[in-house]
């Protein structure tokens, strides 16, 4: 009985002290950061400023100007910008951040920064790995942030005023999400750089030229291709069309409309990709390193600009051949530029060989740069057109003009 | 008038309540006059039986049925023919046409009878008093229980009269196995308390334990079952109620049938039920009356909102001041937008709003109905509209507080909801100091505390901790009645089977 | 008996699961990947062997000396003085280990969530909650774990499911590139953790149904193994070689979850799993130390020494290591052998001696 009362007494004591503890600590609240005291960064970019310094630019959200619910009412969209761009110079990104902090009366908050843009000049001249290290090490930054290489100075790109989206960060994030080009997150980039070949591909962006009549700033940046990195430095870029070939090799193709020009007829036929899948099959035969890319795609016909009768299975078969040829051409183009000219294995050939021939790989690992350009690539593409839409014959041509073949 | 025969020791002033009645009517009268000194509502009526024997009727005004007394007691006695006057027993047997009648020998017994409302007749030369069961007082009719309303289910509620309450139980459980043990608690109030249980279903040691805990109570008065609750619960310092209270006879009957003990207290419509577990506090009677699927879904909804009622404001504070990266970007930006002009830190804002809300709720309960609604309108306007547009409180915080309020109303038992409402505040403080970590620690502390609590020997978290898989179907789900074959296991040995198996409805069981 | 409460074997299994899994969840992928690379998922399977062995030993010892704990029967096996010394060694070891665990917990919380909060506040608040559980006795810990473990397991599974779309199984190839050795090397540290099942030797006398102890102990080991294999698999399929470079790969993996732009940054889940799992882990060690100490000192009640020992654990946690790196280094190198010696080695010796004594006794009995 005595033990029980003793126990309850101590229990109460413990309970009370556990309740009182936070109260006494209220003065501390070491990590408390009020939202009002934070500058929320939505995008960050690095430019080369001088030979030894870089310039860090950030887009910061301004909650004040975003309007508070109904009081704003409608019709004053022009009232102030929602975001603010500021820059600071430093020898390293860490130093630039501390310089940048001096320009803000609020704590810089990196937890919602999902876009990093790196200027092409910097990427070409300097090793990006220290920068990546900083970004990875920072506890607030997100492993899912998207990384871009920009053709223009980042500062110029950030100063754009996108007409549709909240800010440029959202534009770039959404563009990456659409998978038009390669979509590389911070984690992917780090993984690629420590991978077998030490190469990486990053989306390459430029300012979309606005329509003549409009304000020069009322536009966005868009993805114009892919930047290729090797050993932490940018060594070249490929254009949007070649990027599609790259995506095929990397099995990352998702959203695409392919337009082909069939033989012996006027006009073009467009097809929409429904499903696409590719895989790399490595093979070493008599010391020859070979890769076979098997690709399969299923498409829907979405526009028929010719007089071909798409109700005819033979026509469909011919279109399938054209589609296949189109894919092959793009892949070959990508191989030509990246494999032969840049000698950068961004396709994942090294990993494929490693997986299939772990023992051989160990021996030739060091010589991969010499082997890679000589790898023979065979393409086995199959394209299927599943449905011609809900019309069979060309919609808007008179009956007699339709080729029945 | 003869001088009263003064026997030694019968002087009224030297008598005490424990003594036997005197044979002298005057002594008795004087004694009761002194006991009920300054009691204007006690009536003394002198009369003589058949004009010969002096007699005295004592009763309390308003507590006895006067018409019936005139008709069945006074008129037969006063018109008695002298031949039959030989002894008092004969008079009682032949003349008083009332069903309940009792002989009392001591002053204490007589006083108790008078206080309960039974008129007492004292006859000269006899040292016994006859009490007549004619007590009657104004009582409330059986009404719909206000604190536990249902869409489907009985509309009867207990009343303040214990006899009515026991009859409500007896009407539902007609078995003679329903036992009711009566006792009086309270030195002054002498409140009648009845321990009801099902013989053969309730664990006998549990019944004994309940009885002995009740008998230990020494207090001057019991005005509500809450007094008793505080005396008999296992962990008086726990914020969680360890005893279920209800004003629904069907809930009480259901608990009796599960082998629990119901304690009825005179003067309150709330009966208390022991033992109870956390989960029975989260179940409403209607779960069992509606079909089982909706019963199950409603239970899950309740569990979800229980967590919200406890954690939503603290979660909001923690995320907004410690873990901003966890909110989706767009949502965070709109939070930032709405918080931009608010002068208070999020924690203070939350505390202000929650305390105001609690005050509003309290005011709404205490005030008369007409004023109550006015208060809630004013409160809603003040909190909802004015505070937001004045820039004192952010709109999301108003939403959080409102949802928390709604969530705490989904808990069917008022006393369980109180525990959650109280614990919300320390957890908010923890969230304000250590963020989500603080919330987790608070939550774990609550779970540990709940694991140590027992209600009359039943672990509070049962059947989840300690786990009894077969009973989980009445906690995680509301299994259909034909599947609820066994009673929940409480303490000690128990009568497992509620009903025979294999009663699932099935077309093949038809007789045609 | 000092502890009057009784628990079931099932509760014991539920208590032991987070005792191993909680800390392993965050640290094991990085540690095993360092040696085993893409074979890291094999390591927990090898490591589980030591867990099974420990369960077997503690059950066997319990069969020889039912109703006695490790501290009590080591006295019986080795004799009064040697037994007391061994008991003290065990108690000091558990104190030290618990200090390390508390420190690991503190390092994680301070390193990832509350960067500027003093470590002692983080560790102290957790120890306070654990002290509450230890006061409540074994029943309270058992029941709390019955509430916590199912929720935590559910959260873990949800977390894994949300990651599925980002996983790339190809990263696991080639299997056993360098033979079985790397995965074996990677299993040394986890097997040290698995040997923490020796805590059962303190709790087994408190079982209601000690007949089922072996079965549930084995199931508990297997469940931990299963969860660790899943953790390792999903982490490596997501992060690949980066697994080696991250301090808390699982944390990074969960931060990577993004479903429909809304369900993202679910660190809260890891936090919930980690904090509640570590709570059970620390409470188990704390409880065993307190109970063992009370038995060693022949006290009639263990409750008066709960708070003093809690304070000792806090201090030891503070002193455990100067920083995270040396803590991780210790755990990854000598720590494993330190733990294996005390948690597996000495119990094996005890069992052998007990077994020989038993045989001897029987022979003597038979001879008479």
């Amino acid at each position: 009985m005595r033990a029980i009362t003793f126990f309850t007494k101590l229990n109460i004591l413990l309970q009370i002290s556990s309740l009182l503890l936070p109260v006494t600590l209220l003065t501390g609240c070491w990590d408390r950061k009020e939202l009002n005291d934070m500058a929320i960064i939505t995008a960050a970019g690095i430019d080369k400023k001088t030979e030894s310094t870089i310039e860090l630019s950030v887009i910061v959200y301004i909650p004040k100007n975003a309007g508070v619910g109904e009081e704003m009412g409608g019709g004053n969209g022009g009232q102030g910008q929602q975001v603010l761009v500021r820059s600071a110079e430093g020898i390293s990104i860490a130093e630039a951040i501390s310089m940048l902090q001096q320009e803000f009366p609020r704590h810089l908050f990196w937890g919602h920064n999902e876009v990093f843009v790196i200027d092409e000049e910097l990427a070409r001249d300097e090793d990006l790995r220290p920068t990546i290290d900083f970004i990875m090490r920072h506890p607030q930054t997100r492993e899912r942030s998207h990384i871009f290489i920009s053709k223009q100075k980042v500062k110029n790109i950030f100063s754009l005023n996108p007409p549709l989206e909240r800010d440029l960060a959202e534009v770039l994030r959404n563009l990456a999400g659409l998978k038009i080009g390669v979509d590389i997150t911070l984690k992917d980039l780090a993984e690629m750089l420590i991978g077998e070949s030490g190469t990486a591909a990053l989306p390459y962006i430029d300012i979309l030229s606005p329509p003549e009549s409009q304000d020069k700033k009322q536009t966005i940046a868009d993805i114009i291709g892919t930047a290729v990195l090797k050993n932490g430095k940018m060594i070249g870029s490929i254009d949007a069309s070649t990027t599609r070939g790259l995506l095929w090799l990397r099995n990352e193709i998702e959203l695409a409309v392919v337009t082909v020009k069939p033989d012996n007829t006027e006009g073009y036929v467009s097809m929409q990709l429904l499903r696409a899948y590719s895989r790399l099959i490595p093979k070493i035969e008599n010391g020859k390193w070979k890769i076979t890319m098997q690709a399969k795609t299923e498409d829907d016909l979405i526009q028929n600009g010719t007089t071909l009768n798409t109700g005819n299975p033979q026509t469909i078969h011919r279109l399938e051949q054209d589609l296949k040829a189109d894919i092959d051409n793009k892949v070959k183009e990508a191989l030509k530029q990246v494999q032969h000219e840049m000698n950068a294995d961004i396709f994942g050939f090294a990993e494929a060989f490693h997986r299939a021939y772990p023992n051989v790989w160990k021996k030739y690992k060091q010589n991969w740069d010499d082997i890679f350009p000589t790898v023979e690539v065979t393409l086995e593409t199959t394209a299927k057109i599943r449905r011609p839409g809900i019309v069979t014959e060309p919609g808007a041509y008179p009956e007699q003009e339709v080729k029945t073949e | 008038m003869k001088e009263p025969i003064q026997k030694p020791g019968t002087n009224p002033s030297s008598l005490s309540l424990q003594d036997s009645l005197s044979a002298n009517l005057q002594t008795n009268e004087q004694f009761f006059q002194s006991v009920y000194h300054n009691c204007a509502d006690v009536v003394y009526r002198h009369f003589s039986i058949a004009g010969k024997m002096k007699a005295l009727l004592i009763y309390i005004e308003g507590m006895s049925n006067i018409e019936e007394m005139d008709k069945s007691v006074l008129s037969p006695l006063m018109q008695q023919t002298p031949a039959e006057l030989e002894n008092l027993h004969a008079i009682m047997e032949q003349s008083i046409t009332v069903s309940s009648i009792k002989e009392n020998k001591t002053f204490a017994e007589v006083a108790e009878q008078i206080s309960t409302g039974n008129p007492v007749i004292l006859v000269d030369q006899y040292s016994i008093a006859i009490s007549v069961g004619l007590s009657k007082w104004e009582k409330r009719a059986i009404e719909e229980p206000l604190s536990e309303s249902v869409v489907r289910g009985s509309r009867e509620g207990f009343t303040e009269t214990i006899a009515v309450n026991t009859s409500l139980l007896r009407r539902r459980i007609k078995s003679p196995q329903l036992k009711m043990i009566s006792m009086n608690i309270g030195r002054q109030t002498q409140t009648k308390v009845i321990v009801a249980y099902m013989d053969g279903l309730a664990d006998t040691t549990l019944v004994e334990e309940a009885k002995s805990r009740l008998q230990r109570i020494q207090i001057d008065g019991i005005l509500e079952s809450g007094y008793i609750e505080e005396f008999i619960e296992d962990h008086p310092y726990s914020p969680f109620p360890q005893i279920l209270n209800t004003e629904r006879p069907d809930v009480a009957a259901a608990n009796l049938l599960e082998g629990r003990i119901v304690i009825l207290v005179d003067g309150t419509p709330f009966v208390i039920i022991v033992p109870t577990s956390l989960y029975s506090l989260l179940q409403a009677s209607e779960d069992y009356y509606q079909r089982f699927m909706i019963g199950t879904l409603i239970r899950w909804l309740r569990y979800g909102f229980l967590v919200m009622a406890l954690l939503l404001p603290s979660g909001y504070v923690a995320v907004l001041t410690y873990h901003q990266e966890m909110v989706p970007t767009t949502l965070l930006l709109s939070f930032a937008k709405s918080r931009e002009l608010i002068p208070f830190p999020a924690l203070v804002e939350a505390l202000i709003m929650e305390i105001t809300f609690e005050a509003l709720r309290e005011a709404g309960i205490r005030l008369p109905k007409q004023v109550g609604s006015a208060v809630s309108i004013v409160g809603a306007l003040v909190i909802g509209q004015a505070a937001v547009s004045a820039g004192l409180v952010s709109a999301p915080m108003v939403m959080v507080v409102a949802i928390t309020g709604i969530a705490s109303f989904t808990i069917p038992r008022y006393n369980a909801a109180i525990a959650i409402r109280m614990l919300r505040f320390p957890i908010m403080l923890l969230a304000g100091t250590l963020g989500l970590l603080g919330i987790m620690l608070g939550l774990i502390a609550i779970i540990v505390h709940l694991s140590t609590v027992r209600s009359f020997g039943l672990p509070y978290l049962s059947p989840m901790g300690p786990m009894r898989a077969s009973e989980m179907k009445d906690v995680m789900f509301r299994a259909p009645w034909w599947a609820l074959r066994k009673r929940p296991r409480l303490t000690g040995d128990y009568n497992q089977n509620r009903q025979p198996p294999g009663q699932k409805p099935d077309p093949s069981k038809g007789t045609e | 008996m000092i502890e009057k409460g009784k628990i079931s074997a099932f509760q014991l299994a539920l208590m032991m699961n987070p005792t191993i899994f909680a800390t392993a969840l965050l640290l094991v992928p990085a540690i095993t990947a360092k040696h085993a690379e893409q074979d890291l998922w094999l390591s927990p399977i090898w490591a589980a062997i030591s867990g099974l062995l420990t369960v077997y030993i503690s059950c066997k010892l319990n069969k020889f000396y039912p109703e006695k704990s490790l501290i009590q029967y080591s006295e019986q096996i080795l004799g009064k003085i040697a037994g007391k010394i061994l008991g003290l060694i065990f108690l000091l070891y558990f104190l030290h280990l618990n200090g390390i665990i508390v420190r690991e917990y503190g390092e994680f919380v301070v390193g990832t969530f509350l960067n500027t909060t003093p470590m002692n506040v983080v560790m102290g608040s957790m120890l306070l909650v654990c002290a509450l559980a230890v006061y409540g006795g074994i029943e309270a810990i058992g029941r709390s774990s019955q509430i916590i473990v199912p929720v935590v397991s559910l959260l873990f599974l949800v977390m894994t499911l949300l990651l599925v779309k980002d996983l790339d199984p190809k990263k696991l190839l080639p299997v056993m590139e360098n033979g079985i050795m790397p995965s074996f090397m990677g299993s040394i540290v986890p097997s040290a953790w698995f040997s923490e099942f020796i805590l059962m030797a303190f709790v087994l006398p408190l079982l209601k149904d000690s007949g089922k102890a072996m079965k549930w102990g084995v199931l508990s080991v297997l469940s931990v193994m299963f969860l660790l294999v899943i953790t390792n698999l999903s982490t490596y399929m997501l992060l690949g070689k980066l697994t080696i470079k991250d301090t808390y790969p699982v944390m990074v993996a969960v931060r990577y979850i993004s479903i429909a732009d809304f369900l993202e940054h679910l660190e809260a889940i890891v936090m919930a799993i980690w904090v509640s799992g570590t709570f059970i882990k620390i409470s188990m060690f704390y409880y065993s130390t307190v109970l063992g100490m009370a038995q060693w000192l022949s006290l009639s009640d263990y409750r008066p020494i709960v708070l003093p020992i809690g304070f000792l654990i806090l201090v030891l946690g503070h002193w455990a290591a100067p920083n995270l790196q040396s803590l991780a280094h210790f755990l990854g190198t000598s720590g494993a052998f330190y733990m294996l010696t005390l948690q597996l080695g000495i119990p094996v010796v005890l069992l052998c001696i007990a077994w020989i004594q038993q045989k001897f006794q029987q022979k003597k009995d038979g001879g008479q």
Side-chain angles (χ1 to χ4, degrees), chain A residues 12 15 19 22-23 25-26 29 31-36 38 40 61 63 66-67 106 109 111-112 114 142 166, chain B residues 237 320-322 324-325 327-329 332-333 335-337 339-340 342 345-347 389 426 429-430 432-433 449:
Chain A
I12 300 153
Q15 280 168 3
L19 292 186
V23 181
L25 300 184
L26 264 174
C29 305
D31 281 290
R32 200 172 60 93
K33 290 183 299 258
E34 288 294 333
L35 219 45
N36 313 29
M38 289 186 346
I40 302 166
Y61 179 74
R106 296 180 172 204
F109 182 66
H112 280 273
E114 293 195 68
R142 298 190 160 193
R166 184 189 64 228
Chain B
Y237 292 105
L320 231 55
T321 46
Y322 286 89
Q324 292 90 352
E325 68 277 359
V327 191
T329 310
L332 183 82
L333 294 185
F335 280 155
K337 195 161 70 184
R339 275 205 53 83
E340 183 64 19
I342 308 299
L347 174 65
S389 51
L429 291 178
L430 278 171
T433 39
H449 170 72

Side-chain angles (χ1 to χ4, degrees), chain A residues 270-283:
Chain A
S270 295
M271 278 154 289
Q272 161 98 53
L273 226 72
L274 288 182
R275 267 172 287 277
Y277 167 77
S278 73
R279 63 184 188 136
L280 302 175
I281 304 162
K283 208 170 216 173

Side-chain angles (χ1 to χ4, degrees), chain A residues 7 10-11 14 30-31 139-144 173 185 187-188 191 194 196 354-355 358 362, chain C residues 114-118 135 166 170-171 173 177-178 238-239 241-242 245 252 255-256 258 264-265:
Chain A
F7 158 55
L10 269 171
N11 200 354
L14 262 166
W30 306 272
D31 281 290
Q140 278 179 357
T141 52
R142 298 190 160 193
E143 282 77 13
R144 218 187 178 90
R173 201 165 58 88
T185 63
K187 176 219 101 183
D188 296 332
E191 217 185 327
I194 63 167
E196 303 291 356
H354 179 189
R355 276 167 204 146
K362 246 180 258 167
Chain C
L114 305 169
N115 306 61
T116 51
T117 307
Y135 266 111
D166 289 310
K170 269 194 286 187
K171 289 184 182 154
L173 294 172
E177 186 182 5
N178 297 314
L238 178 73
L239 296 175
K241 288 214 169 73
L242 276 182
K245 304 209 167 189
V252 175
R255 281 161 66 124
Y256 203 73
S258 169
E264 40 184 29
H265 257 244

Side-chain angles (χ1 to χ4, degrees), chain A residues 147-164:
Chain A
I147 317 259
F148 301 89
I149 299 275
S150 105
K151 197 169 181 179
Q152 308 271 336
K153 282 284 171 200
V154 177
K155 214 175 167 182
N156 299 339
I157 289 197
F158 278 3
S159 67
L160 297 178
N161 191 8
L164 191 58

Side-chain angles (χ1 to χ4, degrees), chain B residues 26-166:
Chain B
Q26 208 171 355
T27 319
N28 289 341
E29 186 187 346
Q30 277 172 6
F31 180 76
F32 283 114
Q33 293 271 13
S34 68
V35 168
Y36 288 106
H37 179 64
N38 274 356
C39 294
D41 54 348
V42 180
V43 177
Y44 303 86
R45 163 73 156 90
H46 289 275
F47 68 102
S48 51
I49 301 173
K52 294 225 173 119
M53 290 166 81
K54 279 202 284 177
L56 173 65
L57 175 74
I58 310 177
Y59 67 95
I60 297 177
E61 229 177 338
M63 287 182 71
S64 309
N65 189 340
I66 294 178
E67 295 91 61
E68 192 60 32
M69 194 156 65
D70 292 351
K71 207 175 79 196
S72 321
V73 181
L74 287 182
S75 63
L77 282 179
M78 289 165 90
Q79 289 157 11
Q80 200 85 25
T81 51
E84 294 154 358
L85 260 176
E86 286 317 306
N87 74 48
L88 198 61
H89 289 284
I91 299 174
M92 274 163 57
E93 277 171 19
Q94 291 165 20
S95 306
I96 301 177
T97 55
V98 174
S99 57
S100 160
I101 193 163
K102 193 185 164 204
E103 279 180 35
N104 301 284
K105 295 213 165 60
T106 66
F107 288 111
E109 280 177 87
V110 176
E112 192 190 325
Q113 290 295 326
I114 295 174
S115 300
T116 358
N118 293 332
V120 174
I121 301 166
L122 293 154
V123 184
D124 200 16
Q125 309 301 332
Y126 288 95
S127 62
I128 50 169
I130 299 158
S131 63
V132 193
L134 284 177
S135 66
K136 179 201 161 195
W137 58 92
E138 291 310 314
K139 56 192 172 203
R140 195 160 63 93
I142 294 173
E143 285 167 12
E144 192 174 344
L146 285 177
S147 64
E148 295 161 75
S149 44
V150 288
V151 175
R152 179 173 179 175
S154 150
R155 306 247 177 260
E156 280 181 339
F158 283 126
T159 69
E160 282 76 4
T161 317
I162 197 161
V164 175
N165 295 351
T166 49

Side-chain angles (χ1 to χ4, degrees), chain B residues 310-473:
Chain B
L310 187 62
L311 299 182
L312 190 66
S314 40
Y316 179 77
V317 169
V319 163
L320 231 55
T321 46
Y322 286 89
H323 312 281
Q324 292 90 352
E325 68 277 359
M326 286 182 195
V327 191
T329 310
T330 346
L331 191 61
L332 183 82
L333 294 185
S334 40
F335 280 155
K337 195 161 70 184
S338 58
R339 275 205 53 83
E340 183 64 19
L341 299 172
I342 308 299
F344 307 113
L347 174 65
V348 175
E349 193 190 359
L351 283 175
I352 291 176
M353 289 297 289
E354 285 292 344
I355 291 171
T356 317
F357 177 77
E358 291 298 329
L360 201 67
R361 182 201 300 227
E362 182 61 20
I365 294 173
R366 295 294 155 246
L367 285 171
K369 273 208 178 82
Q370 304 84 334
V371 191
S373 63
V375 165
S376 46
I377 292 167
V378 171
L381 276 177
V382 166
I383 295 182
Q385 280 300 136
V388 173
S389 51
L392 291 174
V393 179
S394 63
M397 181 54 88
V398 175
M399 268 185 64
V400 165
V401 172
I403 294 172
T404 314
I406 292 170
S408 67
F409 286 123
T410 58
I411 302 168
R413 300 279 160 209
Y414 186 70
N415 52 356
I418 290 175
I420 300 296
R421 275 159 58 190
M422 287 192 300
L423 288 172
R424 191 149 75 210
F425 290 92
I427 293 195
M428 264 156 74
L429 291 178
L430 278 171
T433 39
L434 292 171
L436 281 181
L437 179 73
I439 296 181
M440 279 310 295
L441 290 179
L443 207 54
I444 292 174
I446 291 175
I447 291 176
V448 169
H449 170 72
L450 287 175
S451 311
T452 56
V453 171
R454 281 169 180 270
S455 161
F456 278 75
L458 177 73
Y460 201 50
L461 285 175
S462 72
M464 201 175 239
M467 196 172 298
R468 278 196 288 273
S470 61
E471 284 171 37
M472 294 298 276
K473 66 183 172 197

